Every structure is written in structure tokens, then in C-alpha cells.
Amino acid sequence: MRFRIATASVLTACAMAGGGLAVSAQAASADTHTVSSAARPSCPYPYVCFYNGDTMTGKFKDTGYWQTLGASRDAKGAVNTRHDDVAYVRFSNHPTICMKPGEGWAFNGAYPTQVYISSSSTC
């Protein structure tokens, strides 16, 4: 199973199609969280938001510890709106990923369990 970086518009298209991981080799732009605001709620700065289709299932902003996702365990993707902080996402069936600042990911059938927001700007 592979993960790839996706822009918010690709995440939206993927969510609408009911698919999994979107394929894009480019990082999301700084305003990624507003690109798909017509299709779903935007993710406000400085949060890491999880989505299941057009529904935001959770948003997290605390740094320095692993946070259990709860309602976001069925999320199909996430967006990191933070400018200087990376976010790690753990899965029950896939290795941990690192989301750089401004990136969005679609999960392609992987099930997220926890998020860790680091004060580091690099993975």
C-alpha cells in the first residue's frame, strides 16, 4: 500500500468518488484548506483536520503528544494547515506518515488511529 501527497482539490475529488489515496507528486499550497471549502468545511489555521468525504471528523492543534483520533478513525484523508509544524499520523494497518506543513493526504484504505503534531518544520 502506498501513500502519496495530495492537494485539497484532489482530496475532494477522491472523497466524492469514494476512492482512497489520491496520487499527486506535489505538495499542497499554503491555502490548500480553502480550495475545497465549497465541498466541505475548511480546516482553520492552525489545525490538522481529518475528513470522511465532505464531513470533518476532527481537528487537532495541540503539540507534543500522541492524540487518539476517536471519531476520526474512519477518516479518508487529512489536511495540515499549520505553517511551521509537521504532523505524524499513525495507522492500524500501515506505517506512520509525516504530513509537512500545508500538505493534504488521502489514506487509500489505511485506518488512522493517532496524530502527533510536532513543533519541527521537517519530517
Side-chain angles (χ1 to χ4, degrees):
M1 181 183 308
R2 276 191 191 170
F3 284 105
R4 295 196 183 143
I5 300 168
T7 62
S9 58
V10 173
L11 285 172
T12 300
C14 205
M16 293 182 136
L21 181 64
V23 178
S24 175
Q26 58 193 342
S29 64
D31 65 347
T32 293
H33 58 282
T34 61
V35 173
S36 62
S37 61
R40 63 174 150 187
S42 65
C43 183
Y45 172 83
Y47 288 89
V48 175
C49 298
F50 289 80
Y51 292 93
N52 192 350
D54 292 342
T55 304
M56 182 187 301
T57 58
K59 60 184 183 178
F60 301 85
K61 72 174 184 176
D62 295 340
T63 61
Y65 65 97
W66 285 101
Q67 301 170 72
T68 301
L69 296 184
S72 294
R73 292 176 69 95
D74 291 330
K76 305 295 185 216
V79 175
N80 179 5
T81 66
R82 300 177 75 93
H83 299 295
D84 299 316
D85 304 326
V86 298
Y88 295 91
V89 180
R90 279 186 180 158
F91 298 89
S92 62
N93 61 339
H94 195 276
T96 300
I97 62 166
C98 179
M99 295 175 57
K100 295 176 184 171
E103 279 187 346
W105 287 69
F107 297 150
N108 193 30
Y111 299 102
T113 58
Q114 293 180 306
V115 63
Y116 180 94
I117 302 169
S118 170
S119 59
S120 173
S121 61
T122 59
C123 293

